[in-house]
Amino acid sequence: MNKLLEISGLEVGYGGIHAVKGIDFHIGQGELVALIGSNGAGKTTTLKALAGLIAPAGGEIIYDGSVLNAVPAHQRVSMGIALVPEGRGVFARLTVAENLLMGAYSRCDQAQINEDLARMYALFPRLVERRDQLAGTLSGGEQQMLAMARALMSRPRLLMLDEPSMGLAPLMVKKIFETIREVAAQGMSILLVEQNARLALQVSSRSYVMEGGSIALSGVSADLLGSDAVQRAYLGA
Ligand code: ATP
Protein backbone atom coordinates (compact mmCIF):
# COMPACT_ATOMS: atom_id res chain seq x y z
CA MET A 1 0.00 0.00 0.00
CA ASN A 2 1.33 3.48 -0.89
CA LYS A 3 1.95 5.65 2.13
CA LEU A 4 0.08 8.94 2.07
CA LEU A 5 1.51 10.09 5.39
CA GLU A 6 4.68 9.04 7.12
CA ILE A 7 5.83 10.42 10.43
CA SER A 8 9.23 9.70 11.88
CA GLY A 9 10.68 10.76 15.21
CA LEU A 10 7.95 13.39 15.72
CA GLU A 11 8.53 15.43 18.85
CA VAL A 12 6.24 18.20 20.06
CA GLY A 13 6.46 20.23 23.25
CA TYR A 14 4.75 23.09 25.04
CA GLY A 15 7.49 25.04 26.80
CA GLY A 16 8.97 22.52 29.22
CA ILE A 17 6.27 19.88 28.59
CA HIS A 18 7.37 17.13 26.24
CA ALA A 19 3.94 16.05 24.95
CA VAL A 20 4.99 13.88 21.97
CA LYS A 21 8.29 12.06 22.38
CA GLY A 22 9.59 10.89 19.02
CA ILE A 23 6.78 8.84 17.48
CA ASP A 24 6.73 6.97 14.16
CA PHE A 25 3.63 5.98 12.23
CA HIS A 26 2.16 5.94 8.77
CA ILE A 27 -1.17 5.98 6.95
CA GLY A 28 -1.63 4.22 3.63
CA GLN A 29 -3.73 5.59 0.77
CA GLY A 30 -7.38 4.91 1.60
CA GLU A 31 -6.59 3.51 5.03
CA LEU A 32 -8.57 4.23 8.22
CA VAL A 33 -6.09 4.35 11.08
CA ALA A 34 -6.99 4.97 14.72
CA LEU A 35 -4.88 6.66 17.39
CA ILE A 36 -6.10 5.71 20.84
CA GLY A 37 -4.80 6.11 24.39
CA SER A 38 -5.70 7.63 27.71
CA ASN A 39 -6.12 11.31 28.59
CA GLY A 40 -3.05 13.41 28.05
CA ALA A 41 -1.28 10.75 25.96
CA GLY A 42 -0.49 13.28 23.21
CA LYS A 43 -3.09 12.38 20.58
CA THR A 44 -4.52 15.88 20.03
CA THR A 45 -1.03 17.35 20.04
CA THR A 46 -0.05 14.92 17.27
CA LEU A 47 -3.05 16.00 15.16
CA LYS A 48 -2.24 19.67 15.72
CA ALA A 49 1.32 19.10 14.53
CA LEU A 50 0.02 17.33 11.41
CA ALA A 51 -2.41 20.18 10.69
CA GLY A 52 0.36 22.77 11.13
CA LEU A 53 -1.18 24.40 14.20
CA ILE A 54 1.89 23.72 16.32
CA ALA A 55 5.50 23.38 15.14
CA PRO A 56 7.28 20.10 15.85
CA ALA A 57 10.45 20.27 17.94
CA GLY A 58 11.92 17.37 15.99
CA GLY A 59 11.29 14.63 13.47
CA GLU A 60 9.72 14.67 10.04
CA ILE A 61 6.20 14.73 8.62
CA ILE A 62 6.10 13.45 5.04
CA TYR A 63 2.84 13.77 3.14
CA ASP A 64 2.47 12.56 -0.40
CA GLY A 65 6.26 12.56 -0.76
CA SER A 66 6.83 16.13 0.54
CA VAL A 67 8.24 17.20 3.89
CA LEU A 68 5.53 19.24 5.61
CA ASN A 69 7.36 20.54 8.67
CA ALA A 70 7.68 24.13 7.41
CA VAL A 71 4.43 24.26 5.38
CA PRO A 72 1.87 26.66 6.95
CA ALA A 73 -1.52 25.33 8.06
CA HIS A 74 -3.58 26.99 5.27
CA GLN A 75 -1.33 25.49 2.63
CA ARG A 76 -1.76 22.03 4.16
CA VAL A 77 -5.53 22.46 3.68
CA SER A 78 -4.95 23.18 -0.01
CA MET A 79 -2.73 20.09 -0.16
CA GLY A 80 -5.63 17.98 1.06
CA ILE A 81 -5.21 17.74 4.83
CA ALA A 82 -8.34 18.52 6.87
CA LEU A 83 -8.78 18.48 10.64
CA VAL A 84 -12.10 18.23 12.46
CA PRO A 85 -11.00 19.52 15.87
CA GLU A 86 -12.05 18.33 19.29
CA GLY A 87 -15.13 20.35 20.28
CA ARG A 88 -16.05 20.73 16.55
CA GLY A 89 -15.08 24.43 16.13
CA VAL A 90 -18.04 25.41 13.93
CA PHE A 91 -18.59 29.12 13.28
CA ALA A 92 -21.46 29.64 15.74
CA ARG A 93 -22.77 32.89 14.23
CA LEU A 94 -22.82 31.64 10.66
CA THR A 95 -25.55 29.43 9.23
CA VAL A 96 -25.06 25.79 8.36
CA ALA A 97 -24.81 26.65 4.65
CA GLU A 98 -22.28 29.44 5.33
CA ASN A 99 -20.17 27.08 7.46
CA LEU A 100 -20.09 24.58 4.61
CA LEU A 101 -18.99 27.24 2.13
CA MET A 102 -16.21 28.29 4.55
CA GLY A 103 -14.92 24.73 4.26
CA ALA A 104 -14.37 25.32 0.54
CA TYR A 105 -12.51 28.64 1.00
CA SER A 106 -9.32 27.26 -0.51
CA ARG A 107 -11.12 26.28 -3.74
CA CYS A 108 -12.38 28.32 -6.68
CA ASP A 109 -14.11 25.62 -8.76
CA GLN A 110 -17.66 26.96 -8.21
CA ALA A 111 -19.52 24.25 -10.14
CA GLN A 112 -17.77 21.50 -8.19
CA ILE A 113 -18.29 23.34 -4.91
CA ASN A 114 -22.04 23.28 -5.61
CA GLU A 115 -21.84 19.57 -6.42
CA ASP A 116 -20.00 18.93 -3.16
CA LEU A 117 -22.60 20.94 -1.22
CA ALA A 118 -25.27 18.65 -2.64
CA ARG A 119 -23.17 15.60 -1.72
CA MET A 120 -22.80 16.85 1.87
CA TYR A 121 -26.55 17.34 2.20
CA ALA A 122 -27.02 13.80 0.87
CA LEU A 123 -24.48 12.42 3.34
CA PHE A 124 -25.96 14.39 6.26
CA PRO A 125 -29.71 14.82 5.53
CA ARG A 126 -30.16 16.40 8.97
CA LEU A 127 -28.21 19.43 7.74
CA VAL A 128 -30.61 20.06 4.84
CA GLU A 129 -33.50 20.96 7.15
CA ARG A 130 -31.16 23.19 9.10
CA ARG A 131 -29.24 24.89 6.34
CA ASP A 132 -30.37 28.40 7.36
CA GLN A 133 -30.04 27.80 11.09
CA LEU A 134 -27.14 29.39 13.01
CA ALA A 135 -24.54 26.72 13.71
CA GLY A 136 -24.29 27.74 17.37
CA THR A 137 -27.90 26.64 17.91
CA LEU A 138 -27.37 23.09 16.57
CA SER A 139 -27.22 20.09 18.91
CA GLY A 140 -23.82 18.56 19.69
CA GLY A 141 -24.37 15.75 17.21
CA GLU A 142 -25.50 18.14 14.49
CA GLN A 143 -22.44 20.30 15.11
CA GLN A 144 -20.24 17.20 14.74
CA MET A 145 -21.95 16.43 11.41
CA LEU A 146 -21.47 20.02 10.28
CA ALA A 147 -17.80 20.02 11.31
CA MET A 148 -17.21 16.82 9.33
CA ALA A 149 -19.11 18.10 6.32
CA ARG A 150 -17.23 21.40 6.44
CA ALA A 151 -13.91 19.53 6.47
CA LEU A 152 -15.04 17.36 3.55
CA MET A 153 -15.87 20.53 1.57
CA SER A 154 -12.12 21.14 1.22
CA ARG A 155 -11.97 17.85 -0.76
CA PRO A 156 -9.33 16.37 1.55
CA ARG A 157 -7.22 13.34 0.83
CA LEU A 158 -6.48 12.94 4.53
CA LEU A 159 -9.29 13.56 7.00
CA MET A 160 -8.27 13.83 10.65
CA LEU A 161 -11.00 13.50 13.27
CA ASP A 162 -10.38 14.41 16.91
CA GLU A 163 -12.77 12.65 19.32
CA PRO A 164 -15.87 12.64 17.11
CA SER A 165 -17.89 10.71 19.73
CA MET A 166 -17.21 13.15 22.56
CA GLY A 167 -20.30 14.23 24.46
CA LEU A 168 -22.76 12.59 22.07
CA ALA A 169 -25.68 10.28 22.86
CA PRO A 170 -25.19 6.63 21.76
CA LEU A 171 -27.54 6.90 18.78
CA MET A 172 -25.74 9.96 17.47
CA VAL A 173 -22.37 8.25 17.96
CA LYS A 174 -23.68 5.33 15.89
CA LYS A 175 -24.78 7.71 13.13
CA ILE A 176 -21.46 9.60 13.08
CA PHE A 177 -19.49 6.34 12.91
CA GLU A 178 -21.68 5.02 10.09
CA THR A 179 -20.77 8.15 8.17
CA ILE A 180 -17.07 7.68 8.96
CA ARG A 181 -17.31 4.14 7.54
CA GLU A 182 -19.12 5.48 4.46
CA VAL A 183 -16.48 8.15 3.81
CA ALA A 184 -13.71 5.57 4.32
CA ALA A 185 -15.43 3.19 1.90
CA GLN A 186 -15.25 5.92 -0.74
CA GLY A 187 -11.46 5.69 -0.47
CA MET A 188 -10.53 8.59 1.77
CA SER A 189 -7.57 8.20 4.12
CA ILE A 190 -8.64 8.86 7.70
CA LEU A 191 -6.78 9.36 10.97
CA LEU A 192 -9.21 8.91 13.85
CA VAL A 193 -8.36 9.99 17.40
CA GLU A 194 -10.85 8.51 19.80
CA GLN A 195 -11.27 8.00 23.57
CA ASN A 196 -13.76 5.23 22.91
CA ALA A 197 -11.14 2.59 22.17
CA ARG A 198 -13.59 -0.19 21.38
CA LEU A 199 -15.38 1.87 18.75
CA ALA A 200 -12.10 3.07 17.25
CA LEU A 201 -10.71 -0.47 17.04
CA GLN A 202 -13.94 -1.71 15.47
CA VAL A 203 -14.04 0.89 12.71
CA SER A 204 -10.33 1.08 11.78
CA SER A 205 -8.04 -1.32 9.97
CA ARG A 206 -4.88 -0.51 11.98
CA SER A 207 -4.33 1.31 15.25
CA TYR A 208 -1.62 2.93 17.30
CA VAL A 209 -1.90 3.16 21.07
CA MET A 210 -0.25 6.23 22.65
CA GLU A 211 0.88 6.39 26.25
CA GLY A 212 2.75 9.31 27.82
CA GLY A 213 3.77 10.80 24.48
CA SER A 214 5.05 7.55 22.95
CA ILE A 215 3.51 4.76 20.90
CA ALA A 216 3.11 1.83 23.27
CA LEU A 217 1.46 -0.64 20.90
CA SER A 218 0.41 -0.86 17.28
CA GLY A 219 -1.08 -3.39 14.93
CA VAL A 220 -4.13 -4.62 13.07
CA SER A 221 -7.16 -3.29 14.96
CA ALA A 222 -8.93 -6.65 15.09
CA ASP A 223 -5.83 -8.20 16.72
CA LEU A 224 -5.54 -5.36 19.25
CA LEU A 225 -9.24 -5.71 20.05
CA GLY A 226 -8.60 -9.34 20.99
CA SER A 227 -5.34 -8.80 22.90
CA ASP A 228 -5.28 -9.19 26.67
CA ALA A 229 -3.12 -6.10 27.20
CA VAL A 230 -5.53 -3.87 25.26
CA GLN A 231 -8.56 -5.49 26.85
CA ARG A 232 -7.20 -4.82 30.33
CA ALA A 233 -5.83 -1.32 29.78
CA TYR A 234 -8.37 0.24 27.40
CA LEU A 235 -11.50 -1.88 27.15
CA GLY A 236 -12.21 -2.33 30.84
CA ALA A 237 -12.02 -6.11 30.76
P1 ATP B 1 -7.15 13.97 25.69
O1 ATP B 1 -7.75 12.72 25.22
O2 ATP B 1 -7.32 14.19 27.18
O3 ATP B 1 -7.48 15.17 24.86
P2 ATP B 1 -4.59 13.73 24.36
O4 ATP B 1 -4.00 12.37 24.21
O5 ATP B 1 -5.23 14.33 23.18
O6 ATP B 1 -5.57 13.73 25.59
P3 ATP B 1 -2.96 16.10 24.43
O7 ATP B 1 -4.11 17.05 24.47
O8 ATP B 1 -2.21 16.00 23.18
O9 ATP B 1 -3.41 14.64 24.89
O10 ATP B 1 -1.97 16.50 25.62
C1 ATP B 1 -0.70 15.91 25.79
C2 ATP B 1 0.04 16.61 26.93
O11 ATP B 1 0.36 17.95 26.56
C3 ATP B 1 -0.76 16.71 28.22
O12 ATP B 1 0.12 16.49 29.29
C4 ATP B 1 -1.28 18.13 28.21
O13 ATP B 1 -1.45 18.61 29.53
C5 ATP B 1 -0.18 18.88 27.50
N1 ATP B 1 -0.73 20.03 26.75
C6 ATP B 1 -1.66 20.00 25.79
N2 ATP B 1 -1.92 21.25 25.31
C7 ATP B 1 -1.11 22.08 26.01
C8 ATP B 1 -0.88 23.51 25.99
N3 ATP B 1 -1.53 24.31 25.13
N4 ATP B 1 0.02 24.01 26.86
C9 ATP B 1 0.71 23.20 27.72
N5 ATP B 1 0.55 21.86 27.78
C10 ATP B 1 -0.34 21.30 26.94
Side-chain angles (χ1 to χ4, degrees):
M1 185 181 283
N2 281 339
K3 288 177 186 170
L4 179 61
L5 183 76
E6 186 161 21
I7 281 126
S8 55
L10 182 70
E11 289 182 42
V12 192
Y14 302 97
I17 297 171
H18 206 181
V20 175
K21 301 173 182 166
I23 61 169
D24 302 325
F25 71 90
H26 72 272
I27 302 176
Q29 300 273 2
E31 212 183 6
L32 201 176
V33 171
L35 191 56
I36 60 175
S38 40
N39 285 119
K43 307 179 298 293
T44 297
T45 303
T46 301
L47 290 191
K48 284 186 177 163
L50 297 180
L53 302 175
I54 179 169
E60 214 167 44
I61 303 171
I62 299 176
Y63 168 79
D64 201 20
S66 311
V67 178
L68 278 194
N69 292 49
V71 175
H74 69 272
Q75 209 170 317
R76 295 189 201 193
V77 175
S78 311
M79 291 168 82
I81 299 178
L83 170 66
V84 180
E86 198 172 359
R88 344 299 185 205
V90 298
F91 300 111
R93 300 175 73 140
L94 297 184
T95 65
V96 165
E98 287 164 346
N99 265 274
L100 290 176
L101 287 175
M102 289 298 280
Y105 81 92
S106 62
R107 301 169 52 187
C108 42
D109 45 342
Q110 196 54 52
Q112 285 177 20
I113 290 174
N114 290 339
E115 259 175 43
D116 284 353
L117 262 181
R119 278 199 314 124
M120 289 311 123
Y121 287 132
L123 194 61
F124 300 99
R126 183 77 72 96
L127 297 181
V128 182
E129 311 150 28
R130 288 168 168 72
R131 68 172 84 188
D132 298 319
Q133 188 172 326
L134 293 183
T137 64
L138 295 174
S139 75
E142 290 162 356
Q143 288 193 20
Q144 182 63 49
M145 291 179 188
L146 178 58
M148 276 176 67
R150 188 183 62 187
L152 291 171
M153 285 298 293
S154 67
R155 286 220 169 173
R157 292 175 62 199
L158 174 64
L159 179 66
M160 302 192 292
L161 301 165
D162 197 357
E163 304 273 4
S165 78
M166 184 152 41
L168 302 186
L171 256 183
M172 191 54 90
V173 172
K174 190 163 174 274
K175 175 113 205 52
I176 295 287
F177 272 73
E178 276 166 14
T179 312
I180 294 173
R181 278 184 210 273
E182 206 173 321
V183 171
Q186 290 166 8
M188 190 167 299
S189 308
I190 299 179
L191 177 57
L192 169 68
V193 161
E194 195 33 81
Q195 277 278 326
N196 185 331
R198 187 179 304 279
L199 207 52
L201 290 169
Q202 283 167 345
V203 77
S204 58
S205 54
R206 282 189 310 114
S207 296
Y208 295 90
V209 182
M210 274 189 94
E211 269 317 317
S214 303
I215 290 183
L217 278 171
S218 63
V220 171
S221 302
D223 296 343
L224 291 173
L225 201 51
S227 96
D228 285 347
V230 172
Q231 291 265 342
R232 272 196 308 273
Y234 305 100
L235 303 174

